[in-house]
Amino acid sequence: MSAKQKIVVVGNGMVGHHFVDEMAKHEGYEITVLSAEDRLAYDRVHLSEYFSGKTADDLALTTPEHYNELGVKFFTDAKVTNINKAEKVVSTETGDKYPYDKLVLATGSYPFVPPIPGKEREHCLVYRTIDDLDAIQASANSGKVGVVVGGGLLGLEAANALKELGLQTHVVEFAPQLMGVQLDKDGGELLRNMIEGIGVQVHTQKATQEIIDGEDCVHRMVFADGTHLETDLILFSAGIRPYDNLARDFDLQIGERGGIVVNNECQTSDENIYAIGECALWNNFIYGLVAPGYTMAKVAADNIIGGEQQFTGADMSTKLKLMGMDVGSIGDAHARTAGAQSYTYFNEPDDVYKKIVVSADGKTLLGAVLVGDTSEYDSLLQYALNAIELPEKPDSLILPSAGEKPTLGVDALPESATICSCLNVTKGDIISAIDAGACDVAAVKSCTKATTGCGGCAALVKTVTDHELEKRGVEVSTDLCEHFAYSRVELFHIVKAEKIRNFDTLIEKHGCGIGCEICKPAVGSILSSVWNDYILKEDHLPLQDTNDTYLGNMQKDGTYSIVPRMPGGEVTPERLIVIGEVAKEYNLYTKVTGGQRIDLFGARIDQLPDIWEKLIAAGMETGHAYGKSLRTVKSCVGSTWCRYGVQDSMAMAIFLENRYKGLRSPHKIKFAVSGCTRECAEAQSKDIGVIATENGWNLYVSGNGGMKPRHGDLFATDLDDETLVKYIDRYLMFYVRTADRLTRTSVWLENLEGGLEYMQKVVIDDHLGVNAELENQMQAVVDTYQCEWKTTIEDPKQLKRFRQFVNSKAVDENIEFVTEREQIRPARGEEKRYKGVQIHTVDISEPEAETV
Amino acid sequence: MTIEKQWQTICHKDDLVKNSGVCALLANQEQIAIFQVKDEMYSVGNWDPIGKANVLYRGLIGDTKGDIYVASPLYKQRFVLNSGKCLDDDSVSIKAYDTRLQNDEVQVLV
Ligand code: SRM
Ligand SMILES: Cc1cc2nc3c(=O)[nH]c(=O)nc-3n(C[C@H](O)[C@H](O)[C@H](O)COP(=O)(O)OP(=O)(O)OC[C@H]3O[C@@H](n4cnc5c(N)ncnc54)[C@H](O)[C@@H]3O)c2cc1C
Ligand code: SF4
Ligand code: FES
């Protein structure tokens, strides 16, 4: 067998890593990765999320284990400084040598810092790597004011980060407008107003001349027009420059303004050396986006194995959310094409600006600018990329819908239309996946990998898939899963009408197979809402998700968390002390949750019953933090203590929490009660929100925080206590009966035909004549409430389940903690002694064994 | 040399939980998950290679197209109980062991 071809990859950024993943699919190559950073590839695109809580581990695109599995050799802190093209060897700073048959340069780029005197001062930083972010964080801690130099895409992202770090933030831009590459003048102007509206100051047409000592802050930036600005931190984001130094030093062709010149195969002027990603100059152009880099990685890998793929350029359209503002730019945004004509829509009161640029004959879309509202971005992009003929009145595409707005049906898209631009998946790819047997969105995603990048294409992928399936006569089904040809609502009615009390009977009569992780918990929840049995009864136990089976939330290492109920957030000092004592005794990480109660983390399964026994003995009960059921009723102190309170919000919150605790529902339910309109309990973001008025209570419904926040709708005003409770009984029970699985009240209401008005008719006017029944059903649930933990610790048979091993008292060695800020936290991969499952040889001396 | 496989006695049949899983230690300290599905028994490795924790015995059991599987309680990937194959990710799999009942004792072939 011939020796493996040696592939050496310089740089392990996003593109270098993508290349490795592509290359490792093929046998017969020995891949070596040399990374100048001290870690392997991470997600630079989502770098800013580091400031909103993501860790370096979360951002990592790969791990040493993954590379080991792929058989890829890798070295970090290994900066390549020499290429010997004749001998085909590269060497690193430390003198280590690596021979190659093919060399791939994926060195990316670095931030450009303009040559301003003073730029070397302390607290003058850039925004590109995780290390940069650590430096920014440290610097921000000691300052009050921050300036970003550069008002492009990245600069504004950096400004947002500074703002979130609590700095008074300024953006200094040399050009007359923000985001000059993507936006036209009016779009840039509107963006500026919006950004200033949220407190970031924008200074355009400012050329910084020097940076000197400040009087009130660390620095003073002196501008060419004689003005100045004081700041503690300066972040340069004035563009990027390709890391092409290796090419410069070792005689590979580079562009006039930098960049390693490559051909359509991504080869440099030396045929054994490829360049991909942000260091590569193709057709005199450097792409500062990750998607084109991924395509280059694919092309280079394909060429190395003898394929013929070509890189032929990439689209630079962008849609993003900048500081909470929607901005989009497509194609020729500046109408530079000869004969181009444009249409604009400018709505100043609502901060919306839209422009489309169309060809001279008015038939095709050349470009677009969207600020403040990007809802038409997807369809405009498809018009532009696929040269789809525009409707007769192109402006109808961006005008606010005063009736029928022409929508672009997915049918109109050609097969070449890119649906997922991150992973370069076309409509044709989706069709091929379906032809090859994919019969739902999940299957299409797993075949094509669409949606696994930024995720922005998820809705479009679903529409295209469903549409194609429908065309093939596949009914896009509302079936719960392959075991039940019914929706959740239909199953609810069956369970109730036929008085079915367990899963086995239901699946025998109305389903097939043994069930799955979708239908089992869904039916478990229905049975609970209707009959309210103990959820761990023998029949019901196998239906529950692990959180319900062990009555705690499973954490990443397999331990559980413990959340005692604390109605309204009220707790006596005695109970608080017990919680503290228990946490101390079992060494649990202790935190106040976002739901006004206390969570204890890191309990092993075998410790759970003992811990709960102690909490219950002190008068506490389960908080159902694990269940699809009522979580918390947040409250403020209300009229009892607060000088503004107009009703006793505490008493109402406690009453409501005790009434609805334990109610199983399609998804979790959260409440809040505020004592006056100041709304300290944030009731309008809850499924059920109650706000005190002079005359009683205002009821809000179907609010949501979380992924897609929704303000609750005002349902009824000035209710007395009794009416309030009646309305909530009816509203919730109607939701429990009719919502799909895992649907919060917000999404349920939005999808409900007739929406809020319909629900008001049902609940207030008894339009369907079901109110008495709804109230009775709720009362039945309230009357059969039990603390599941109490029932569990009193039942020896249940207790038996709370052990890690049925044949040993040992504990799970994988559960390891380290100390951080004086408490435990799970050890991370690299901190652990336990490395997962090893392959052991068989111990033949084992006494009880017999040979087969 | 071929290493012959042996039956190891693990626990009593009453230690199992019907239509759910339990966990046990093999003689070599490896963790296994044992499931009782109706009247059949299955054993697989307890380590979730994706969630990287010893939790598979706490997953829900289901079937699809004739394969009986456990869905990881962490991130829901499904592993077929009699082969260890992962239905959602080709790049991982877990070990599967033959399992039998001898005088009410559960035995696993290792
Ligand atoms: C512990 C806590 C965070 C904290 O440290 O404060 C938390 C932790 C979890 N949240 Fe949360 N959420 C917590 C308050 C919230 C809040 C704030 C609130 O309730 O006021 C929200 C936004 C409000 C809302 O739900 O509308 C919130 C929105 C979510 C969501 C998104 C829901 C959505 O509709 O978009 C999820 C995911 C889901 O449920 O599918 C989630 C899911 C989770 C899970 C269950 C994720 C998981 O499966 O591991 C976390 C495990 C809980 C645990 O281990 O005990 N958590 N979560 C908070 C517990 C509150 C409590 O006392 O019960
Ligand atoms: C904050 C931020 C937000 C962004 N947002 C987006 C976005 O929303 N959408 C988008 O498409 N793009 C975005 N980008 C751009 C995107 O991150 C880049 O296009 C992408 O990372 C380029 O990948 P690359 O592998 O070519 O370069 P890099 O990711 O920069 O990787 C190059 C690696 O090579 C190493 N290296 C350099 N020289 C050597 C050497 N001599 N020896 C060894 N190693 C070397 C470098 O240290 C680096 O680790 C963003 C970038 C930043 C910084
Ligand atoms: S909501 Fe009103 S009553 Fe409650 S704490 Fe705030 S100001 Fe006081
Ligand atoms: S477009 Fe980013 S994942 Fe599909």
Side-chain angles (χ1 to χ4, degrees):
Chain A
M1 215 184 93
S2 64
K4 289 189 168 186
Q5 266 213 56
K6 291 187 167 56
I7 314 285
V8 173
V9 188
V10 183
N12 193 231
M14 300 187 74
V15 174
H17 166 66
H18 196 76
F19 172 82
V20 171
D21 259 354
E22 285 292 322
M23 202 64 222
K25 289 181 189 159
H26 306 287
E27 302 272 321
Y29 299 92
E30 180 188 305
I31 306 171
T32 306
V33 171
L34 302 173
S35 164
E37 289 190 59
D38 59 2
R39 45 169 70 83
L40 291 179
Y42 52 89
D43 187 350
R44 221 179 281 294
V45 169
H46 294 104
L47 197 61
S48 298
E49 291 172 21
Y50 191 66
F51 286 139
S52 46
K54 286 254 169 104
T55 62
D57 274 357
D58 295 334
L59 291 174
L61 294 173
T62 182
T63 56
E65 293 81 38
H66 176 63
Y67 274 2
N68 284 333
E69 267 166 39
L70 295 179
V72 170
K73 291 190 195 161
F74 55 90
F75 301 89
T76 48
D77 279 323
K79 183 171 183 178
V80 172
T81 48
N82 193 299
I83 307 178
N84 183 336
K85 290 191 290 188
E87 286 176 22
K88 299 215 270 185
V89 174
V90 296
S91 42
T92 62
E93 243 171 353
T94 49
D96 296 312
K97 290 191 163 36
Y98 302 90
Y100 66 83
D101 293 305
K102 301 284 178 200
L103 181 67
V104 177
L105 301 176
T107 46
S109 52
Y110 60 91
F112 168 67
V113 178
I116 301 167
K119 71 179 167 54
E120 318 288 350
R121 292 163 59 95
E122 225 190 315
H123 302 295
C124 288
L125 304 166
V126 295
Y127 200 77
R128 177 87 195 170
T129 64
I130 289 185
D131 290 346
D132 291 339
L133 266 55
D134 286 334
I136 292 168
Q137 175 107 54
S139 173
N141 287 345
S142 65
K144 284 200 184 65
V145 185
V147 167
V148 174
V149 178
L153 255 178
L154 266 180
L156 296 182
E157 190 170 326
N160 192 40
L162 293 189
K163 186 165 173 287
E164 285 188 351
L165 287 171
L167 296 182
Q168 202 182 311
T169 306
H170 301 259
V171 173
V172 171
E173 167 61 51
F174 178 72
Q177 75 162 78
L178 295 174
M179 277 181 69
V181 180
Q182 293 86 0
L183 298 185
D184 63 357
K185 191 167 150 284
D186 292 333
E189 198 53 39
L190 175 58
L191 184 66
R192 177 199 182 121
N193 290 340
M194 288 161 69
I195 288 177
E196 290 190 330
I198 60 164
V200 172
Q201 290 198 46
V202 178
H203 313 261
T204 46
Q205 281 176 298
K206 294 277 178 199
T208 313
Q209 244 173 1
E210 62 174 338
I211 305 165
I212 55 176
D213 281 341
E215 276 168 24
D216 301 321
C217 296
V218 177
H219 312 288
R220 168 175 289 196
M221 301 173 70
V222 182
F223 302 121
D225 61 6
T227 58
H228 65 81
L229 178 63
E230 295 228 332
T231 177
D232 298 309
L233 187 170
I234 300 176
L235 206 52
F236 289 103
S237 180
I240 53 167
R241 294 288 180 271
Y243 260 130
D244 54 8
N245 49 326
L246 285 172
R248 265 175 219 278
D249 296 349
F250 303 100
D251 259 353
L252 297 171
Q253 194 189 337
I254 55 171
E256 248 172 60
R257 284 185 303 160
I260 311 173
V261 174
V262 295
N263 60 17
N264 290 3
E265 282 78 38
C266 296
Q267 270 165 326
T268 65
S269 52
D270 178 326
E271 61 170 358
N272 292 317
I273 305 182
Y274 291 76
I276 55 178
E278 279 189 355
C279 65
L281 183 76
W282 178 85
N283 199 11
N284 222 356
F285 195 81
I286 288 179
Y287 289 96
L289 294 176
V290 72
Y294 280 181
T295 311
M296 291 181 183
K298 230 173 144 175
V299 167
D302 183 68
N303 274 271
I304 291 175
I305 61 157
E308 286 172 354
Q309 285 184 21
Q310 302 241 326
F311 182 78
T312 52
D315 177 56
M316 292 286 286
S317 301
T318 19
K319 173 172 81 167
L320 66 160
K321 232 189 164 59
L322 265 179
M323 310 189 192
M325 283 159 293
D326 294 307
V327 180
S329 151
I330 294 173
D332 182 8
H334 297 269
R336 295 200 173 110
T337 314
Q341 316 175 54
S342 45
Y343 297 84
T344 14
Y345 167 76
F346 202 164
N347 173 343
E348 268 190 277
D350 294 336
D351 285 338
V352 174
Y353 171 76
K354 304 181 197 177
K355 175 169 96 174
I356 52 173
V357 179
V358 305
S359 58
D361 62 5
K363 291 230 159 84
T364 46
L365 186 72
L366 301 173
V369 179
L370 303 168
V371 179
D373 174 7
T374 50
S375 46
E376 287 103 10
Y377 178 88
D378 288 341
S379 56
L380 290 175
L381 182 63
Q382 296 299 341
Y383 273 107
L385 291 182
N386 305 301
I388 298 170
E389 190 168 325
L390 287 168
E392 208 167 317
K393 291 198 168 88
D395 50 348
S396 59
L397 293 174
I398 51 169
L399 292 177
S401 45
E404 72 300 359
K405 165 146 45 179
T407 45
L408 176 62
V410 282
D411 249 351
L413 296 180
E415 295 209 357
S416 61
T418 302
I419 305 296
C420 169
S421 47
C422 291
L423 280 299
N424 202 4
V425 178
T426 60
K427 181 176 167 190
D429 295 332
I430 294 182
I431 294 176
S432 312
I434 293 174
D435 289 341
C439 55
D440 55 20
V441 177
V444 165
K445 284 183 185 169
S446 90
C447 288
T448 60
K449 301 268 182 287
T451 72
T452 56
C454 69
C457 58
L460 195 56
V461 170
K462 178 160 171 21
T463 323
V464 172
T465 307
D466 286 352
H467 197 79
E468 285 304 316
L469 287 170
E470 265 164 28
K471 269 198 346 211
R472 287 165 170 68
V474 180
E475 225 184 289
V476 177
S477 104
T478 56
D479 293 358
L480 191 58
C481 65
E482 66 181 87
H483 304 99
F484 288 101
Y486 296 99
S487 65
R488 181 184 177 278
V489 185
E490 289 164 336
L491 285 177
F492 195 100
H493 285 298
I494 294 176
V495 166
K496 232 173 113 57
E498 301 184 15
K499 302 207 168 32
I500 292 177
R501 298 205 67 135
N502 62 33
F503 182 80
D504 286 350
T505 316
L506 184 68
I507 199 163
E508 228 159 77
K509 282 177 101 171
H510 299 284
C512 62
I514 67 169
C516 66
E517 71 282 8
I518 294 169
C519 60
K520 283 178 170 177
V523 170
S525 159
I526 294 175
L527 290 169
S528 236
S529 309
V530 177
W531 308 116
N532 211 23
D533 288 338
Y534 171 50
I535 60 159
L536 300 177
K537 251 176 75 171
E538 197 180 354
D539 279 352
H540 304 328
L541 174 82
L543 309 180
Q544 316 297 350
D545 266 315
T546 185
N547 286 2
D548 280 306
T549 329
Y550 295 100
L551 304 171
N553 290 61
M554 179 184 270
Q555 307 298 317
K556 58 205 264 190
D557 57 355
T559 60
Y560 288 84
S561 68
I562 290 155
V563 190
R565 191 165 288 293
M566 230 171 242
E570 190 178 84
V571 60
T572 62
E574 288 75 19
R575 292 199 181 135
L576 204 52
I577 289 169
V578 173
I579 291 177
E581 279 169 354
V582 167
K584 222 163 121 182
E585 179 176 350
Y586 293 88
N587 192 21
L588 303 172
Y589 170 76
T590 308
K591 177 182 183 297
V592 174
T593 72
Q596 287 191 340
R597 49 189 184 173
I598 295 175
D599 202 341
L600 310 177
F601 293 82
R604 293 192 320 264
I605 201 161
D606 52 286
Q607 297 175 317
L608 290 172
D610 294 348
I611 293 172
W612 276 103
E613 201 175 332
K614 295 195 164 121
L615 295 172
I616 288 171
M620 284 173 268
E621 55 182 1
T622 181
H624 292 98
Y626 45 81
K628 298 288 177 250
S629 54
L630 177 75
R631 292 290 167 86
T632 61
V633 180
K634 271 175 82 165
S635 177
C636 70
V637 287
S639 58
T640 318
W641 290 93
C642 178
R643 62 201 158 124
Y644 296 114
V646 292
Q647 303 284 348
D648 188 350
S649 52
M650 253 348 277
M652 181 52 83
I654 294 170
F655 173 81
L656 293 175
E657 184 153 347
N658 282 325
R659 180 168 179 83
Y660 300 107
K661 66 188 175 191
L663 167 70
R664 299 279 152 164
S665 51
H667 207 310
K668 58 191 176 194
I669 309 175
K670 300 179 177 186
F671 282 39
V673 184
S674 281
C676 82
T677 66
R678 286 169 194 74
E679 247 286 69
C680 296
E682 299 168 310
Q684 289 166 92
S685 68
K686 301 295 180 217
D687 298 277
I688 298 288
V690 178
I691 302 178
T693 67
E694 295 284 352
N695 309 314
W697 308 99
N698 283 353
L699 171 62
Y700 288 80
V701 294
S702 294
N704 205 157
M707 288 167 258
K708 196 164 168 279
R710 180 179 191 275
H711 254 268
D713 291 314
L714 182 58
F715 191 82
T717 52
D718 291 333
L719 304 175
D720 58 39
D721 293 5
E722 200 186 334
T723 315
L724 173 72
V725 174
K726 271 197 176 135
Y727 284 5
I728 299 176
D729 273 5
R730 297 170 189 169
Y731 193 82
L732 281 187
M733 200 37 92
F734 197 77
Y735 158 69
V736 166
R737 281 186 175 198
T738 58
D740 222 340
R741 62 184 275 276
L742 299 186
T743 307
R744 291 283 292 266
T745 58
S746 56
V747 177
W748 165 75
L749 183 65
E750 288 199 342
N751 294 339
L752 190 76
E753 226 180 291
L756 181 72
E757 270 175 44
Y758 175 75
M759 277 316 293
Q760 284 167 326
K761 277 206 286 193
V762 172
V763 168
I764 302 173
D765 310 331
D766 205 7
H767 176 67
L768 300 177
V770 290
N771 281 347
E773 199 188 324
L774 295 173
E775 281 171 39
N776 287 341
Q777 202 184 339
M778 186 61 86
Q779 195 57 45
V781 171
V782 173
D783 292 341
T784 46
Y785 168 80
Q786 57 186 308
C787 167
E788 293 153 358
W789 261 114
K790 186 154 181 292
T791 313
T792 303
I793 56 172
E794 285 167 359
D795 179 352
K797 222 175 139 217
Q798 288 295 340
L799 288 180
K800 217 174 129 188
R801 289 194 300 109
F802 289 85
R803 44 183 178 171
Q804 177 75 16
F805 305 112
V806 289
N807 60 348
S808 162
K809 289 230 147 47
V811 296
D812 179 4
E813 293 170 87
N814 176 49
I815 298 174
E816 290 180 51
F817 299 115
V818 296
T819 304
E820 190 172 274
R821 295 187 298 278
E822 299 170 67
Q823 297 204 64
I824 59 156
R825 71 156 165 79
R828 302 196 183 100
E830 68 277 10
E831 293 164 340
K832 276 192 180 179
R833 279 163 291 139
Y834 184 81
K835 294 295 176 205
V837 169
Q838 314 289 328
I839 307 295
H840 296 272
T841 48
V842 181
D843 177 4
I844 5 186
S845 61
E846 168 61 22
E848 282 174 42
E850 63 177 71
T851 315
V852 262
Chain B
M1 201 190 97
T2 56
I3 299 174
E4 274 170 74
K5 290 193 169 181
Q6 329 229 320
W7 287 103
Q8 251 179 56
T9 298
I10 304 293
C11 61
H12 191 266
K13 80 173 196 326
D14 290 348
D15 285 320
L16 301 185
V17 181
K18 215 174 137 214
N19 293 321
S20 184
V22 298
C23 175
L25 275 183
L26 294 178
N28 65 6
Q29 299 302 300
E30 231 172 86
Q31 300 191 17
I32 55 167
I34 311 175
F35 299 94
Q36 183 188 347
V37 185
K38 301 213 185 248
D39 295 318
E40 294 291 317
M41 289 180 310
Y42 303 88
S43 304
V44 295
N46 190 37
W47 176 253
D48 175 347
I50 294 166
K52 305 230 184 303
N54 285 312
V55 295
L56 287 183
Y57 80 99
R58 300 180 212 158
L60 275 164
I61 298 166
D63 70 342
T64 180
K65 304 187 187 88
D67 282 334
I68 297 191
Y69 63 79
V70 58
S72 163
L74 276 170
Y75 303 113
K76 305 279 181 276
Q77 288 83 8
R78 299 164 301 166
F79 297 90
V80 177
L81 291 182
N82 58 18
S83 66
K85 181 179 150 65
C86 179
L87 292 173
D88 301 295
D89 187 341
D90 287 341
S91 67
V92 296
S93 64
I94 57 175
K95 286 205 256 179
Y97 307 83
D98 287 338
T99 312
R100 71 176 187 191
L101 213 52
Q102 262 325 19
N103 306 327
D104 286 350
E105 299 286 338
V106 179
Q107 296 190 332
V108 172
L109 188 63
V110 270

